[in-house]
């Protein structure tokens, strides 16, 4: 069976090229064509004939198929639904800022975390994505931009905040990061990649040891154990205080900080007491808080607080001198905002 080219990081590819005595420049040429060029029609033209036969016989260059594209009319957010080889579907979102984009990638089909506020969790975990399906989301979205919004095909940030728990599928996510980071690959700066987690400690260990410099976002959502247990069931196994203690021990570089995400849910975790406690546990850390008003989805049981309440919450955090941003939903008209991704719909 052919091996997907997009499952290989640069050293995997070099090893295959060397083992098979192919032209030693083939790895660089292939990476250059597939990760740096928007148009790949002639991509194998300047590879030596002897190497080309091997490459075409052994590598599969297919990418996840674009099944649907939803473009927001409000803010130019684009949501893609990708069809995978086994017919499963995953979603990817391009979030615009100043004619550039952040891309929100999925790491699993569905998710095992079962968070009570998240649409994806309702699907349960179907399976992990493989590296080529993660890298493929990026390449397809990038090429779609080149075709449909020429001149705007600049994806500056990658966030693993789509479907799935990236630290639950660490091997595939790590290899995708290696391809994104590689000078030969898409060459994205390490500080431009963020992995978001519900707080899966075994994965946190691997993140800190194996992909240092890649940013971390922790979905915090409540500083109180009982409430967090209700929102994020794995809090019972990996309680917040243990997660924070673990994160505190990780050496960060000077410019690095941890993002703490906090979904604001009306009359649940939006009081001054909640803000006060949140400020207390994060004060003094290299922290940045993203306040995300809860995004509703069909059948959701929570509501978002009004803007006055959200601003009040932020004012309390400001007294702790923690940088806090209220993240206004983008793409909510196409169900592309945080927590609205569910590929069964
Ligand atoms: N499993 C990872 C990544 C996926 S969720 C994690 O838990 O971090 C990415 C972000 O979307 C998280 O902060 C998550 O808490 C947030 N989110 C999920 N559902 C949401 C909803 N309905 N409204 C607003 N944000 C939501």
């Amino acid at each position: 069976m052919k091996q997907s080219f997009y499952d290989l990081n640069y050293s995997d590819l070099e090893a295959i090229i060397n083992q098979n005595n192919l032209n030693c420049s083939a790895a660089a040429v292939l990476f250059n064509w597939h990760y740096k060029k928007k148009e790949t029609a002639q991509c194998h033209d300047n590879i030596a004939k002897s190497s080309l036969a091997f490459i075409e016989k052994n590598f599969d260059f297919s990418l996840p198929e674009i099944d649907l594209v939803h473009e927001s009319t409000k803010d130019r957010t684009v949501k893609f639904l990708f069809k995978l080889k086994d017919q499963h579907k995953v979603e990817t979102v391009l979030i615009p800022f100043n004619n550039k984009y952040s891309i929100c990638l999925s790491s699993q089909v569905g998710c095992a975390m079962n968070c009570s506020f998240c649409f994806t969790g309702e699907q349960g975990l179907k399976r992990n994505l493989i590296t080529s399906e993660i890298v493929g989301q990026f390449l397809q979205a990038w090429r779609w931009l080149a075709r449909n919004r020429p001149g705007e095909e600049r994806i500056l940030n990658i966030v693993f905040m789509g479907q799935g728990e990236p630290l639950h599928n660490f091997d595939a996510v790590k290899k995708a990061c290696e391809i994104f980071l590689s000078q030969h690959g898409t060459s994205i700066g390490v500080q431009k990649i963020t992995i978001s987690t519900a707080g899966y400690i075994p994965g946190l260990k691997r993140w800190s040891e194996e992909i240092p410099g890649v940013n971390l976002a922790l979905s915090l959502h409540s500083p109180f154990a009982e409430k967090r247990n209700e929102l994020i069931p794995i809090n019972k196994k990996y309680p917040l205080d243990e997660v924070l203690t673990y994160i505190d021990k990780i050496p960060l570089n000077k410019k690095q900080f941890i993002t703490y995400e906090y979904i604001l849910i009306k009359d649940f975790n939006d009081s001054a007491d909640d803000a006060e406690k949140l400020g207390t546990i994060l004060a003094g850390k290299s922290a940045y808080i993203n306040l995300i008003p809860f995004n509703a989805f069909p059948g959701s049981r929570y509501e978002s607080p009004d803007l006055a309440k959200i601003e009040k919450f932020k004012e309390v955090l400001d007294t702790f001198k923690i940088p806090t941003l209220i993240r206004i939903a983008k793409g909510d008209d196409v169900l592309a905002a945080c927590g609205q991704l569910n590929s069964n719909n």
Side-chain angles (χ1 to χ4, degrees), residues 111 113 117-119 160-162 164-166 196-198 219 221 261 263 292-295 297 338-339:
C111 185
M113 296 292 114
F117 51 83
C118 180
F119 203 15
F160 283 90
M161 293 187 188
E165 165 55 47
S196 180
T197 181
S219 292
H221 310 328
E261 291 162 285
I263 298 181
I292 313 165
F294 172 72
N295 289 314
F297 52 83
C338 292

Side-chain angles (χ1 to χ4, degrees), residues 54-322:
F54 175 91
I55 288 163
E56 291 187 341
K57 180 160 168 252
N58 291 285
F59 292 144
D60 170 14
F61 291 95
S62 63
L63 289 169
E65 202 182 302
I66 298 181
D67 198 40
L68 279 174
V69 181
H70 289 290
E71 292 182 69
S72 162
T73 46
K74 241 172 76 179
D75 56 30
R76 294 171 68 72
T77 295
V78 191
K79 180 170 89 167
F80 297 91
L81 189 63
F82 287 110
K83 189 148 90 185
L84 308 174
K85 282 198 177 126
D86 60 2
Q87 308 301 311
H88 274 125
K89 292 181 182 173
V90 287
E91 291 176 313
T92 305
V93 185
L94 282 171
I95 307 150
F97 62 99
N98 308 330
N99 290 342
K100 302 179 197 86
Y101 293 87
S102 287
I103 192 166
C104 179
L105 297 177
S106 291
S107 55
Q108 297 180 313
V109 183
C111 185
M113 296 292 114
N114 200 20
C115 298
S116 62
F117 51 83
C118 180
F119 203 15
T120 305
E122 291 192 351
Q123 282 178 264
L125 176 65
K126 302 277 166 49
R127 70 167 173 85
N128 281 334
L129 294 186
I130 54 174
T131 297
S132 52
E133 292 166 334
I134 299 173
V135 171
Q137 295 169 57
F138 177 97
L139 289 176
Q140 288 287 53
W142 182 54
R143 291 183 192 154
W144 182 92
L145 279 176
R147 287 194 304 276
N148 293 281
R149 299 184 183 175
E152 280 187 41
E153 59 276 21
R154 277 177 300 169
I155 302 179
L156 293 194
N157 295 291
I158 295 178
V159 295
F160 283 90
M161 293 187 188
Q163 286 161 305
E165 165 55 47
L167 294 185
H168 228 185
N169 181 19
F170 191 81
D171 288 325
V173 168
K174 176 185 169 189
K175 197 160 265 194
C177 287
E178 288 166 350
I179 293 170
F180 292 137
L181 293 168
S182 167
Q183 295 296 310
H184 302 279
T186 51
S187 196
I188 289 185
V190 71
Q191 71 284 4
K192 304 287 187 198
I193 303 180
T194 302
I195 290 181
S196 180
T197 181
Y200 179 62
I201 291 182
L204 278 174
K205 291 198 166 121
R206 294 198 61 192
W207 159 72
S208 63
E209 287 163 12
E210 298 179 40
I211 39 176
V214 167
N215 291 309
L216 186 79
L218 177 71
S219 292
L220 202 156
H221 310 328
S222 175
F224 297 110
E226 237 169 69
K227 286 192 207 178
R228 196 166 189 269
N229 285 343
E230 177 177 333
L231 295 172
I232 307 176
I234 67 152
N235 192 60
K236 293 177 204 142
K237 187 150 187 209
Y238 303 112
L240 180 63
D241 49 353
E242 285 178 30
V243 174
L244 293 178
T245 307
Y246 187 79
I247 292 176
D248 283 346
K249 283 196 262 169
I250 294 164
L252 301 179
N253 64 41
K254 268 199 212 118
K255 284 195 219 144
Q256 215 179 354
F257 50 82
I258 306 288
T259 302
Y260 294 92
E261 291 162 285
Y262 194 97
I263 298 181
L264 281 163
I265 300 172
K266 186 178 172 184
D267 299 333
F268 183 80
N269 66 355
D270 61 346
S271 70
D273 264 6
D274 292 293
E276 193 76 35
K277 178 75 176 170
L278 179 65
T280 309
I281 62 170
L282 296 183
K285 300 189 196 296
S286 298
Y288 192 100
I289 300 177
N290 266 336
L291 293 179
I292 313 165
F294 172 72
N295 289 314
F297 52 83
S300 56
R301 64 176 111 153
Y302 302 117
E303 282 175 58
S304 172
D306 57 36
L307 191 60
K309 195 90 192 253
I310 296 170
E311 280 169 354
K312 221 169 187 148
F313 197 92
K314 179 177 175 334
E315 274 166 30
V316 176
L317 292 172
D318 288 342
T319 65
F320 289 89
K321 310 230 167 339
I322 307 170

